[in-house]
Amino acid sequence: MQRPYRGQELILFSLFILLLAACAGQEGQPGPAGPEGSQGIPGPAGQEGEQGLPGPAGQDGISYAPPEFVGSQTCAECHQETYDTFMSSGHPHQLNAVVDGQPPDYPFTEISDPPEGYTWDDISYVIGGYNWKARFIDQNGYLITGSDTVTRTQYNLPNESLELGEEWVAYHPGEEELPYDCGRCHTTGYLPQGNQDGRPGLIGTWAIDGVQCEACHGPGSLHAGNPLAFQPDINRDAQSCTECHAGGVAAEIEAANGLISHHESYTDLFQGKHAALDCVVCHDPHTGVVQLRQMEQPATQTACESCHFSEAQNFKLEPHPRQCVVCHMPHLIQNAVGDPERFTGDFRTHMVSIDPTQIEQLTEDGIALPQLSLNTTCRHCHVPAGDGFASPKTDEELMEAAVNYHLPPTPTPAPAEPAEEAAPEQ
């Protein structure tokens, strides 16, 4: 067979390629992406960048200093009127040093003598003494308690409304070297570490005795040095007050001797709707309450009638006290003295809701119920023994009077006018 020429071979090869191309199908759509692969090995780190330019130099002679406590007297240099008002409140007098053997000074009261067997030189501090009671701390920082129930080491100031007090009573008898650990709420700038003045009985250290301006507004040295650049803390939330004026938001309120215990003060506020209010809505913390009573001024800056105007206008019985707090904030708390038979202590409760069908205030376990009872709201006047401000009442009589006490009276419909007689036809 004759071998084709080379040119013929090229022609045949080209025809073969064209034949293969004609037989091949069109390219289909790309299939779905496969699963993502695993992380590869990290590459080598890059080279470290160059050092940035230095910042501008600070001003000569100026360095940062943390704020320090300067004392309420320094605040008075600019806020004299507020200072004078505040110093007549109870806050600055929560803890009072005995200086040079002289008793502390108070705006409205006087503690003339220390406990029997002690001189003022034996006393380092007086706790309280502003309105209710006074307790004493010895030179080692321990609370003076007495060895037995006969020894009286707490002085209860006179309470004119109860005709009680002005007497010495026992305080934790038999408990020796009882430390003072109340500085968190009785001092300014408190820290729980260490012992104030090196006295072993004083737990913690503090900057200033008593609850001074800076206890709420923070250390004031920066503000005092530059008032426009540094503003003091101003916190109007109720939490700021209840850190000291409440033992925590407790579900139960403990009582003793038929009355709520002092350490539960203001915890009862959280049992009702007033828990939604901030304390400063009613109270100015610079004035307190006692000095306003001394000045015969309203004890709150907001009247109950501002919100409860309908209840203030409607009373089921007359005559009855028109001061809302008499019934809705009775003296249910005992700070120093109390008279359980008259259901009366020496400190008002902040529970305000009255259950008109509830007679007893305390459970059998000694827990205060969250609503005010008729014993508490009515029988401090209608004393069962008959020696109160009003005549004694039975449970049934109190319930009948209390139910719907502030309900507006149902208006009496006007008598219908007689229909006019039709004129006779002419």
Side-chain angles (χ1 to χ4, degrees), residues 94-165:
Q94 293 298 308
L95 184 67
N96 311 276
V98 175
V99 181
D100 298 331
Q102 297 299 313
D105 291 327
Y106 299 92
F108 311 114
T109 56
E110 180 181 1
I111 308 297
S112 57
D113 299 308
E116 185 178 357
Y118 291 84
T119 68
W120 283 116
D121 289 328
D122 301 322
I123 309 298
S124 60
Y125 289 96
V126 178
I127 307 168
Y130 173 78
N131 186 66
W132 291 276
K133 61 191 176 187
R135 295 166 179 167
F136 302 84
I137 300 176
D138 66 20
Q139 290 294 347
N140 291 321
Y142 294 105
L143 289 157
I144 297 177
T145 57
S147 58
D148 50 45
T149 56
V150 177
T151 306
R152 315 295 188 184
T153 59
Q154 172 181 305
Y155 178 66
N156 290 338
L157 278 76
N159 186 299
E160 295 181 1
S161 62
L162 286 173
E163 298 180 349
L164 295 173

Side-chain angles (χ1 to χ4, degrees), residues 212-293:
Q212 305 292 337
C213 303
E214 294 163 291
C216 299
H217 294 296
S221 60
L222 298 182
H223 174 67
N226 195 332
L228 296 179
F230 298 96
Q231 296 297 318
D233 293 336
I234 300 178
N235 189 343
R236 298 174 62 86
D237 294 340
Q239 184 177 359
S240 299
C241 304
T242 55
E243 286 180 359
C244 289
H245 287 287
V249 182
E252 296 181 344
I253 302 176
E254 296 182 3
N257 193 31
L259 299 165
I260 295 177
S261 304
H262 161 60
H263 67 273
E264 297 291 343
S265 302
Y266 293 102
T267 303
D268 54 351
L269 173 68
F270 296 96
Q271 302 295 319
K273 292 182 290 186
H274 281 184
L277 299 177
D278 289 333
C279 304
V280 295
V281 172
C282 297
H283 296 290
D284 178 356
H286 298 109
T287 61
V289 173
V290 174
Q291 69 167 309
L292 293 174
R293 290 205 306 261

Side-chain angles (χ1 to χ4, degrees), residues 352-426:
V352 294
S353 296
I354 301 174
D355 183 347
T357 64
Q358 176 183 314
I359 298 298
E360 300 294 338
Q361 187 64 59
L362 307 180
T363 66
E364 294 181 357
D365 298 329
I367 302 298
L369 295 170
Q371 287 81 34
L372 293 172
S373 72
L374 299 186
N375 275 348
T376 302
T377 57
C378 303
R379 287 197 162 118
H380 59 272
C381 291
H382 298 279
V383 180
D387 56 352
F389 298 106
S391 60
K393 300 293 182 181
T394 65
D395 294 349
E396 292 74 17
E397 289 174 325
L398 292 179
M399 288 184 186
E400 182 181 358
V403 172
N404 296 328
Y405 185 81
H406 289 289
L407 190 68
T410 303
T412 304
E417 295 183 1
E420 295 183 2
E421 295 183 1
E425 295 182 0
Q426 297 295 331

